[in-house]
Amino acid sequence: LKTAFRSSRGSSPFSDMNAGQLLIVGETLVTWVAMGAMVFGGVVPYIPQYRKIRRTRDAGGFSTYVCLVLLVANILRILFWFGKHFEIPLLLQSVIMIITMMAMMHLCTGVTAEHGTLVVRKLTDLDYTYFWKWTYFSDYCIFVLLLTAVGGLVTGVLVRAWLYVELLGFASLLMEAMLGMPQFWRNFSKKSTEGMSVEMVLFWFSGDTFKTVYFVVRKSPMQFWVCGGIQVVVDILILMQVLMYRKKRSISKTSLT
């Protein structure tokens, strides 16, 4: 029995591997984990915000312009791929992000409708003062489809133009880099971060830091890591707002008591 046990231990699949082979296996696993994090990690920050809106039935603390920025940025990024191929995980990330942002808009419009509205706003009204403040979710779907169709048509014509493709890449990633600015401005104008999920911003910061390092290590196009660095800076600014406005609120409460 001892002999059989020893022979079974000796037949382990790892016993025939040397250190170099184990290192290759380890690197492959790390690469696959990193790619999986790139594909699905971008949507993780919005899970706590989604749950918070669904629980409180109030979308007032979340800027839906964040969804607008990410929808436009990821549509442009997909179009950029046709002119300059980059890694498939980054392409899949854009598809999943578009689906996630549409889910966020569906929730926000549904919650807002529960509170009632005196005036119905539609995309077909062509009133720029109420842009991205439409009443029905279907208007947001139409806008996304129109943007994709027009962008696809223009890209199909100019896909061989080097300058257009490079500008398209910078435009998509620069918009994504500015995704935190609507939330930053909303916090600044209200002088409060109430209603905003702090967990969402922390996920932003950790995710943006990770993907910026990933872009540099994987030698992605320059547009990716430059805009990733900008995102990290914006995340830090929003986290500073959380600390600053929380401190002011605690001081005001102390003075009232």
Side-chain angles (χ1 to χ4, degrees), residues 1-252:
L1 289 174
K2 289 183 178 180
T3 305
F5 177 69
R6 287 171 183 170
S7 62
S8 64
R9 286 197 306 174
S11 62
S12 171
F14 295 101
S15 61
D16 297 329
M17 289 187 178
N18 56 35
Q21 290 174 322
L22 287 173
L23 183 61
I24 293 173
V25 171
E27 289 178 350
T28 303
L29 288 174
V30 170
T31 300
W32 277 101
V33 170
M35 287 182 176
M38 285 302 302
V39 173
F40 298 102
V43 304
V44 172
Y46 300 97
I47 295 175
Q49 185 68 66
Y50 185 94
R51 295 179 63 186
K52 187 169 187 175
I53 294 173
R54 191 171 182 178
R55 184 180 70 253
T56 61
R57 311 308 295 175
D58 182 12
F62 175 69
S63 174
T64 56
Y65 287 107
V66 170
C67 298
L68 172 63
V69 170
L70 279 174
L71 284 167
V72 175
N74 283 281
I75 289 171
L76 294 180
R77 188 201 282 190
I78 292 173
L79 296 175
F80 175 52
W81 182 85
F82 287 98
K84 189 174 184 179
H85 289 354
F86 47 82
E87 292 185 345
I88 295 297
L90 299 178
L91 182 65
L92 293 176
Q93 181 195 54
S94 293
V95 175
I96 292 173
M97 183 62 74
I98 289 172
I99 295 172
T100 303
M101 289 302 101
M102 293 306 292
M104 289 291 296
M105 290 307 305
H106 182 265
L107 176 64
C108 290
T109 52
V111 168
T112 304
E114 291 175 1
H115 298 288
T117 178
L118 296 176
V119 182
V120 174
R121 302 293 179 184
K122 295 183 178 181
L123 173 64
T124 52
D125 294 338
L126 301 179
D127 188 348
Y128 72 91
T129 57
Y130 290 96
F131 176 75
W132 209 250
K133 297 177 183 177
W134 306 308
T135 306
Y136 302 120
F137 176 68
S138 58
D139 290 301
Y140 298 95
C141 295
I142 293 170
F143 173 82
V144 170
L145 290 174
L146 285 174
L147 177 63
T148 305
V150 173
L153 181 63
V154 174
T155 302
V157 174
L158 300 175
V159 71
R160 297 186 182 278
W162 174 84
L163 181 60
Y164 170 78
V165 172
E166 292 298 324
L167 289 176
L168 185 64
F170 267 115
S172 65
L173 292 162
L174 189 60
M175 283 198 70
E176 185 176 347
M178 293 290 107
L179 80 90
M181 290 307 297
Q183 190 67 56
F184 176 86
W185 180 254
R186 189 182 190 91
N187 297 342
F188 178 77
S189 61
K190 286 187 171 184
K191 298 296 185 291
S192 171
T193 58
E194 189 174 355
M196 182 195 75
S197 172
V198 179
E199 290 88 351
M200 177 185 71
V201 183
L202 289 172
F203 277 125
W204 275 356
F205 176 71
S206 59
D208 292 338
T209 302
F210 168 78
K211 72 181 183 182
T212 302
V213 174
Y214 178 90
F215 293 151
V216 174
V217 172
R218 300 289 295 179
K219 297 180 180 179
S220 299
M222 180 181 65
Q223 292 98 327
F224 283 92
W225 54 265
V226 169
C227 295
I230 296 174
Q231 280 183 285
V232 173
V233 173
V234 175
D235 296 340
I236 293 173
L237 291 175
I238 297 176
L239 289 172
M240 289 174 64
Q241 283 183 321
V242 173
L243 295 175
M244 182 173 64
Y245 295 141
R246 185 172 292 175
K247 185 177 180 181
K248 283 185 177 181
R249 188 170 58 187
S250 63
I251 291 175
S252 62

